[in-house]
């Protein structure tokens, strides 16, 4: 068998050993007994060769012969012929007994190594090219390798296209959510809102808010909202007295009601209950006869100028509403020694279309909540403080027509249409007798609260708030608009729930009572659940007064929510042929958002339609509550298309906040807002440096944590929860303790759109004009500095927590 195998091998010159090599090998083997033989002998079992004398090797030889003959039949091998000399050499008897082991490459590295070591002159005496490996084995390995590579590449391509055609679960889920959002919002129709509005107005004449609250609760429950309940609080209200307040001109003895009409039964009945409700809630009551001093808007410059000319002690100030918070201006007048205030709105500050000359109005001097329980909820057993009035001033709102009679100016507008502001000459003296009649009594305020429980984060709350009518008050057509909008969104949302959808976070729907008296319902509920809300409240969405005009969409948002609001506003405008660009700002707003912004630091958003002229005029005119009648609301929005737009726009924001895995809050926008608020005529180097560090920390937080979390492939649940907790609480760092009356404690909000500086610093600089020292300003600067530093430490600590989590996992 050995001879046959060798003959088979020598059919191929590349595998045969030349004659001279065989001859040399024979001579070498005969002359010396090599250790090579000994090594092979040691490796073989006695009488057997594990390489040649087994059936596997014989089968291999036959296979090798078959494969090589097939290769020779291929084109290119036609001229290949065996050399006869080589065949003869192999048939020579001298080589017949040659052990193939002596010329076969050593299969064991150990055997080859020992052969070279034991015969050092082997290489010099027996030189030949290195033995070549079997080409068929090489071919087979090459084929296997090529097949493996092809399969590997094919697998990659199949996986790539399969991934491309079949999106990830996160992408698929996001797409389904967007489709469901659109389905929910498409069910919101103007006609439904209009019908709901008119049904609510029918309850307007109710003596108390019980009927309205019951109607809202019944309706929400019928729509499928979960756990709808009443939350009642017994609170101290300041109400009109049995008779209307009046102002009597001493020079003529003419008695006028706040509207400017004479004090007669006919005039009183003509004005209806509006005369009774033209008052300042929580004002001091009584009578005062004194001279009238025109203080214009009542800012520090006005008072400083007047105090140089006149004695203001126990006099009556003629004060215009606007430009500064009313409570702030009243605090300045109180310190200046005034005894009473006649408050009015200058017609030049109102749009030309607003004919409110004979309309008196109501204001509330209550900064928020039940005055008898300041800072704590009005629950059974709570200590009640005796606070019937919140100021020592007698405050009476009056109409522009009364002021015109007082200063003997019949028309504020000239023939050319140019408005001339109402103004009492400094040299003129006017003495009036003002009587303020109010009563205080405890009354139950009702909030209606309903829940839509979240699926994955039920302990995180998005709070949506509207207001409902609270009697006795005639200021109430806005509440019907507010309630109709929130009810329309609940109806649409519950249709999605019936299809099996549910938001990730809980949505809490609230209809507040007592809003006109100082946001009493929302304050009491917030104080009652303060500990829970501090930990779990994510955002507040306000529907306080959605329709104030019909010419411009106005958006108010916390700095952290500004990007989301801009995105939704632009998307809304792209769907309509005519849509003015939305104006997004962070400014003080009226309504029940107050507690959530100033005491909880919760990011807030509100959409309203306004008149452009109103936005261009002085701020804080909204503090005057004029009686808006049903006809007025329907004149501004006859087809309720604006109501529909507000509902859909607000709904989109609610759905995204409630359902996005990562809260759509922007940390960097908060830092940018801080830097912008420090720009001004008097920059503070220390504050600017600290704001710069805050921006760096926010940028790092945004890039290192927020961007990866927004990528579904890199999203880790525990890190997302930690990230959301940081985003949810970041605005709490900007709550300060001491602010002027009427100013927001959250310094991220400006006084109005015309000012960009921190409101608390503006107020402190105003006060410094009346004081000899700048101590108030230094205190305000310290408050701002501590807030910015707190925010910078907060972001840095958040980054450190994330880094420690990564290190712990690694």
């Amino acid at each position: 068998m050995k001879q046959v195998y060798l003959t088979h091998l020598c059919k191929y010159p590349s595998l045969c050993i030349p004659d001279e090599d065989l001859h040399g090998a024979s001579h070498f083997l005969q002359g010396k007994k090599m250790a090579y033989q000994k090594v092979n002998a040691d490796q073989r079992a006695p009488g057997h060769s594990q390489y040649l004398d087994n059936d596997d090797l014989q089968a291999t030889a036959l296979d090798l012969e078959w494969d090589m003959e097939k290769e020779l039949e291929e084109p290119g091998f036609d001229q290949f012929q065996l050399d006869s000399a080589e065949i003869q050499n192999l048939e020579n008897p001298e080589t017949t007994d040659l052990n193939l082991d002596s010329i076969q490459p050593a299969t064991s590295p150990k055997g080859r190594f020992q052969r070279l070591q034991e015969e050092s002159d082997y290489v010099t005496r027996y030189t030949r090219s290195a033995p070549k490996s079997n080409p068929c084995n090489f071919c087979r390995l090459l084929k296997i390798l090529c097949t493996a590579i092809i399969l590997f590449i094919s697998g990659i391509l199949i996986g790539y296209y399969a991934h491309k055609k079949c999106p990830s679960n996160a992408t698929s889920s996001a797409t389904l959510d967007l489709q469901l959002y659109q389905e929910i919002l498409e069910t919101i129709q103007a006609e439904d809102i209009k019908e709901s509005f008119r049904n609510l107005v029918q309850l307007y004449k109710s003596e108390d808010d019980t009927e309205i609250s019951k109607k809202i609760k019944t309706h929400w429950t019928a729509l499928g909202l979960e756990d709808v309940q009443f939350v009642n609080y017994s609170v101290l209200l300041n109400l009109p007295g049995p008779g209307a307040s009046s102002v009597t001109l001493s020079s003529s003895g003419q008695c006028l009601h706040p509207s400017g009409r004479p004090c007669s039964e006919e005039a009183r009945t003509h004005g209806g209950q509006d005369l009774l409700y033209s008052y300042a809630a929580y004002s001091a009551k009584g009578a005062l006869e004194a001279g009238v001093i025109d203080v214009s808007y009542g800012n520090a410059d006005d008072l400083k100028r007047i105090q140089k000319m006149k004695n203001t002690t126990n006099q009556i100030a003629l004060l215009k509403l606007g430009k500064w918070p009313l409570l702030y201006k009243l605090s300045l007048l109180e310190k200046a020694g005034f005894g009473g205030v006649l408050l009015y709105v200058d017609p030049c500050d109102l749009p030309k279309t607003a004919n409110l000359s004979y309309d008196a109005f109501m204001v509330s001097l209550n900064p928020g909540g039940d005055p008898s329980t300041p800072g704590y909820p009005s629950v059974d057993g709570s200590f009640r403080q005796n606070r019937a009035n919140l100021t020592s001033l007698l405050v009476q709102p009056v109409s522009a027509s009364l002021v015109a009679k007082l200063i003997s100016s019949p028309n504020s507008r000239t023939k050319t249409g140019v408005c001339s502001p109402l103004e009492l000459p400094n040299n003129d003296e006017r003495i009036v007798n003002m009587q303020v009649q109010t009563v205080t009594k405890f009354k139950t305020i009702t909030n209606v609260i309903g829940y839509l429980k979240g699926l994955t984060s039920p302990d995180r709350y998005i709070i949506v708030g509207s207001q409902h009518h609270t009697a006795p008050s005639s200021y109430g057509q806005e509440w019907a608009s507010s309630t109709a909008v929130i009810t329309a969104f609940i109806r649409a949302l519950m249709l999605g729930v019936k299809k099996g959808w549910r938001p990730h976070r809980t949505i809490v729907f609230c209809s507040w009572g007592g809003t006109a008296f100082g946001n009493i319902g929302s304050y009491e509920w917030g104080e009652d659940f303060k500990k829970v809300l501090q930990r779990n409240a994510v955002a507040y969405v306000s529907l306080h007064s959605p329709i104030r005009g019909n010419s411009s969409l106005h958006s108010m948002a916390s700095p952290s929510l500004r990007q989301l609001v801009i995105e939704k506003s632009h998307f809304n405008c792209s769907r309509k042929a005519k849509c003015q660009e939305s104006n997004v700002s962070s400014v003080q707003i009226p309504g029940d958002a107050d507690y959530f912004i100033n005491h909880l630091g919760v990011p807030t958003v509100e959409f309203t339609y306004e008149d452009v002229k109103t936005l261009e005029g002085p701020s804080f005119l909204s503090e005057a509550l004029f009686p808006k009648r049903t006809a007025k609301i329907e004149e501004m929005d006859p087809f309720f298309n604006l109501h529909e737009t507000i509902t859909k726009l607000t709904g989109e924001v609610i759905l995204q906040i409630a359902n996005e895995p990562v809260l759509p809050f922007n940390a960097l926008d908060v830092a940018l807002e801080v830097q912008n608020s420090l720009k001004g005529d008097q920059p503070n180097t220390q504050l600017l440096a600290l704001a710069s560090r805050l921006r760096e920390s926010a940028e790092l937080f945004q890039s290192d944590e927020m961007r990866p979390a927004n990528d579904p492939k890199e999203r880790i649940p525990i890190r997302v929860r930690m990230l959301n907790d940081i985003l949810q609480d970041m605005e709490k760092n900007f709550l300060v303790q001491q602010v002027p009356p009427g100013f927001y404690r959250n310094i991220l909000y400006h006084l109005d759109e015309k000012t960009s500086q921190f409101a608390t610093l503006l107020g402190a600089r105003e006060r410094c004009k009346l004081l000899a020292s700048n101590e108030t300003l230094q205190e305000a600067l310290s408050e701002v500095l501590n807030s910015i530093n707190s925010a910078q430490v907060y972001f840095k600590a958040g980054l450190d927590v994330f880094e420690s989590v990564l290190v712990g996992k690694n």
Side-chain angles (χ1 to χ4, degrees):
M1 185 65 190
K2 295 180 184 179
Q3 182 62 37
V4 174
Y5 178 64
L6 188 59
T7 304
H8 287 163
L9 285 178
C10 290
K11 288 183 180 180
Y12 308 96
S14 61
L15 298 177
C16 295
I17 300 175
D19 295 340
E20 57 272 18
D21 288 350
L22 285 173
H23 179 71
S26 175
H27 176 74
F28 180 72
L29 290 171
Q30 290 175 0
K32 293 187 178 180
K33 299 292 183 181
M34 284 183 56
Y36 185 82
Q37 297 279 348
K38 183 173 67 175
V39 171
N40 280 317
D42 293 339
Q43 291 177 343
R44 291 197 302 269
H48 297 279
S49 170
Q50 61 178 352
Y51 300 105
L52 298 177
D53 297 341
N54 57 64
D55 296 335
D56 293 338
L57 187 56
Q58 295 174 17
T60 303
L62 293 174
D63 291 341
L64 185 60
E65 176 189 10
W66 176 254
D67 290 340
M68 290 185 176
E69 286 178 352
K70 287 175 63 178
E71 289 182 9
L72 291 177
E73 293 174 1
E74 297 178 5
F77 288 89
D78 296 341
Q79 304 300 325
F80 184 86
Q81 294 182 359
L82 295 174
D83 188 87
S84 59
E86 293 178 0
I87 297 175
Q88 291 174 0
N89 288 335
L90 287 173
E91 292 174 351
N92 193 313
E94 293 179 353
T95 61
T96 302
D97 297 330
L98 180 62
N99 190 341
L100 190 58
D101 289 277
S102 62
I103 61 171
Q104 183 179 348
T107 37
S108 170
K110 180 180 178 182
R112 180 176 297 179
F113 178 71
Q114 289 183 350
R115 180 178 64 188
L116 294 176
Q117 272 194 330
E118 295 178 11
E119 188 60 43
S120 60
D121 59 347
Y122 171 76
V123 177
T124 57
R125 294 197 301 147
Y126 177 54
T127 58
R128 60 175 229 176
S129 59
K132 296 182 180 179
S133 62
N134 192 323
C136 293
N137 288 338
F138 175 76
C139 254
R140 185 171 295 171
L141 291 174
L142 185 61
K143 289 178 181 178
I144 294 173
L145 182 62
C146 290
T147 303
I149 293 174
I150 292 171
L151 290 174
F152 178 73
I153 295 174
S154 300
I156 292 177
L157 293 174
I158 292 171
Y160 172 77
Y161 285 107
H163 178 77
K164 189 174 182 181
K165 292 181 180 180
C166 301
S168 63
N169 291 335
T171 306
S172 177
S173 176
T175 304
L176 290 174
D177 285 342
L178 290 175
Q179 292 175 353
L180 186 59
Y181 296 168
Q182 295 306 315
E183 291 178 6
I184 291 173
L185 297 173
E186 285 174 0
T187 61
I188 299 172
Q189 300 297 325
E191 284 299 323
D192 295 333
I193 302 175
K194 185 176 183 179
E195 181 182 357
S196 178
F197 173 83
R198 289 182 171 177
N199 290 336
L200 289 166
V201 169
Q202 297 300 320
L203 303 172
Y204 174 67
K205 296 181 180 180
S206 175
E207 289 300 323
D208 55 36
D209 63 342
T210 304
E211 289 298 321
I212 295 176
S213 301
K214 287 181 179 179
K215 179 72 173 180
I216 294 172
K217 182 178 184 293
T218 302
H219 198 175
W220 288 6
T221 303
L223 293 174
L225 202 59
E226 303 161 353
D227 194 21
V228 183
Q229 56 186 261
F230 289 143
V231 183
N232 299 324
Y233 299 98
S234 178
V235 301
L236 184 67
L237 296 184
N238 185 244
L239 307 172
S245 299
S246 63
V247 177
T248 303
L249 305 181
S250 297
S251 58
S252 62
Q254 185 181 15
C255 176
L256 302 172
H257 284 303
S259 63
R261 295 187 174 90
C263 297
S264 64
E265 285 298 323
E266 293 79 13
R268 183 174 178 181
T269 56
H270 177 74
Q273 287 191 339
D274 292 351
L275 293 177
L276 294 177
Y277 296 113
S278 298
Y279 77 111
Y282 304 103
S283 164
K285 60 183 179 180
L288 174 66
E289 184 173 359
V292 177
I293 299 176
D294 190 349
V295 297
S296 188
Y297 290 100
N299 57 30
D301 290 331
D302 293 331
L303 292 179
K304 192 173 183 180
R305 171 179 53 83
I306 289 168
Q307 285 180 312
K308 288 180 180 180
M309 298 186 297
K310 296 183 178 182
N311 178 17
T312 59
T313 303
N314 211 33
Q315 298 299 301
I316 298 174
L318 184 62
L319 176 66
K320 291 182 182 181
L321 191 68
K323 291 192 175 180
W324 292 90
L326 175 60
L327 295 183
Y328 169 70
K329 296 192 291 186
L330 292 180
S331 69
L332 296 181
L333 293 174
E334 196 170 10
K335 287 186 177 181
F338 281 92
V341 176
L342 294 177
L343 181 66
Y344 73 102
V345 177
D346 196 315
C348 295
D349 293 336
L350 296 171
K352 293 181 180 180
T353 56
N355 185 15
L356 300 174
S357 297
Y358 285 93
D359 284 350
F361 53 92
M362 172 191 173
V363 294
S364 175
L365 309 185
N366 180 12
D370 179 10
S372 68
T373 58
Y376 54 94
S378 298
V379 296
D380 293 340
S382 296
F383 172 71
R384 304 283 180 166
Q385 300 184 22
N386 184 16
R387 302 181 71 194
N389 53 279
L390 301 179
T391 177
S392 63
L393 296 171
L394 294 173
V395 182
Q396 178 58 55
V398 296
S399 68
S401 61
L402 187 150
V403 176
K405 292 178 181 180
L406 179 64
I407 65 177
S408 302
S409 176
N411 196 349
S412 62
R413 294 189 185 272
T414 63
K415 295 181 180 180
T416 60
V418 178
C419 188
S420 177
L422 295 175
E423 184 178 0
L424 179 66
N426 291 328
N427 297 329
D428 291 0
E429 290 187 1
R430 300 286 190 275
I431 298 177
V432 301
N433 183 295
M434 61 181 299
Q435 291 187 355
V436 177
Q437 301 184 41
T438 60
V439 294
T440 56
K441 65 179 181 178
F442 284 95
K443 181 177 174 58
T444 299
I445 291 295
T446 301
N447 297 325
V448 184
I449 312 293
Y451 298 85
L452 175 58
K453 297 295 179 61
L455 186 63
T456 58
S457 299
D459 61 333
R460 293 294 180 261
Y461 307 141
I462 290 83
I463 304 169
V464 186
S466 65
Q467 58 166 321
H468 62 258
H469 170 68
T470 300
S473 167
S474 66
Y475 305 92
Q477 296 313 316
E478 289 183 344
W479 72 266
S481 180
S482 172
T483 304
V485 167
I486 194 172
T487 302
F489 179 66
I490 292 172
R491 181 189 297 109
L493 195 65
M494 297 314 296
L495 292 177
V497 173
K498 290 177 181 177
K499 296 180 181 179
W501 174 85
R502 188 169 285 269
H504 291 317
R505 303 176 182 90
T506 297
I507 305 176
V508 184
F509 294 96
C510 308
S511 183
W512 307 116
T515 299
F517 297 95
N519 309 315
I520 293 180
S522 56
Y523 257 79
E524 294 309 306
W525 188 79
E527 290 171 349
D528 199 0
F529 296 93
K530 184 175 182 179
K531 296 299 182 182
V532 176
L533 296 174
Q534 282 178 331
R535 183 177 66 252
N536 297 344
V538 173
Y540 183 83
V541 181
S542 173
L543 289 169
H544 170 70
S545 180
I547 307 298
R548 301 172 191 165
N550 57 8
S551 60
S552 177
L553 177 65
H554 181 262
S555 307
M556 193 292 301
S558 301
S560 58
L561 278 171
R562 191 172 299 165
Q563 288 296 328
L564 175 64
V565 171
I566 291 174
E567 174 190 335
K568 296 306 176 185
S569 299
H570 287 175
F571 178 68
N572 178 70
C573 288
S574 67
R575 295 183 299 186
K576 294 184 177 292
K578 296 181 180 179
C579 181
Q580 296 184 6
E581 186 174 354
S582 176
N583 182 21
V584 182
S585 57
S586 301
V587 296
Q588 295 191 192
I589 58 174
D592 294 286
D594 189 312
Y595 185 83
F596 301 93
I597 293 173
N598 290 305
H599 294 270
L600 298 177
V602 175
T604 303
V605 61
E606 179 186 69
F607 295 100
T608 59
Y609 268 99
E610 300 267 12
D611 286 322
V612 174
K613 294 298 182 181
T614 302
L615 294 175
E616 294 174 352
S619 55
F620 296 100
L621 294 180
S622 58
E623 291 182 313
L625 301 178
F626 288 96
K628 283 191 173 70
R629 308 191 185 282
T630 308
K632 181 64 175 177
I633 296 289
E634 297 200 36
E635 283 175 11
M636 290 189 294
D637 188 19
F639 302 105
F640 279 71
N641 291 328
L642 301 183
H643 284 80
E644 179 183 327
T645 299
I646 292 292
T647 309
K648 289 184 176 180
L649 195 55
T650 304
E652 285 185 85
V653 172
I654 294 171
L655 287 171
Q656 191 153 346
I657 298 176
N659 217 49
E660 288 294 315
V662 178
L663 289 173
F665 298 169
N666 194 302
L668 182 57
D669 280 353
V670 175
L672 293 174
E673 183 68 25
V674 170
Q675 284 190 315
N676 292 333
S677 299
L678 291 174
K679 295 178 181 178
D681 299 332
Q682 301 174 349
N684 184 291
T685 306
Q686 189 175 6
L687 287 177
L688 289 174
L690 194 58
S692 179
R693 291 200 294 273
L694 171 62
R695 178 174 177 173
E696 291 173 0
S697 298
E699 286 177 342
L700 192 60
F701 180 82
Q702 189 102 349
S703 60
D704 286 8
E705 304 303 335
M706 292 191 66
R707 289 178 184 172
N710 281 302
D711 185 352
K713 297 179 182 178
E714 301 184 31
R715 192 175 293 155
I716 303 173
I718 187 173
R719 290 174 63 84
V720 169
R721 180 70 183 222
M722 292 167 58
L723 175 61
N724 285 337
D725 288 345
I726 293 174
L727 293 173
Q728 173 183 316
D729 293 338
M730 61 184 172
E731 289 195 11
K732 290 180 173 62
N733 296 283
F734 297 96
L735 298 180
V736 298
Q737 295 299 320
Q738 300 295 328
V739 292
F743 281 59
Y744 271 12
R745 290 181 57 216
N746 191 326
I747 64 174
L748 293 176
Y749 292 79
H750 306 302
L751 282 176
D752 53 40
E753 297 176 7
K754 302 177 183 66
T755 59
S756 59
Q757 290 81 20
F758 284 120
T760 183
L761 295 182
L762 290 176
R765 292 191 178 103
E766 276 285 302
R767 283 178 175 255
C768 285
K769 296 176 183 179
L770 300 173
L771 301 174
S773 68
N774 65 346
E775 183 178 347
T776 303
L777 178 59
Q778 294 301 319
E779 290 177 356
L781 286 170
S782 178
E783 291 264 27
V784 173
L785 185 143
N786 289 332
S787 295
I788 300 173
N789 181 68
S790 175
Q792 195 269 335
V793 171
Y794 181 77
F795 283 125
K796 189 175 182 302
L799 289 168
D800 292 342
V801 168
F802 278 110
E803 185 177 353
S804 65
V805 169
L806 284 176
V807 171
K809 286 191 173 185
N810 293 334

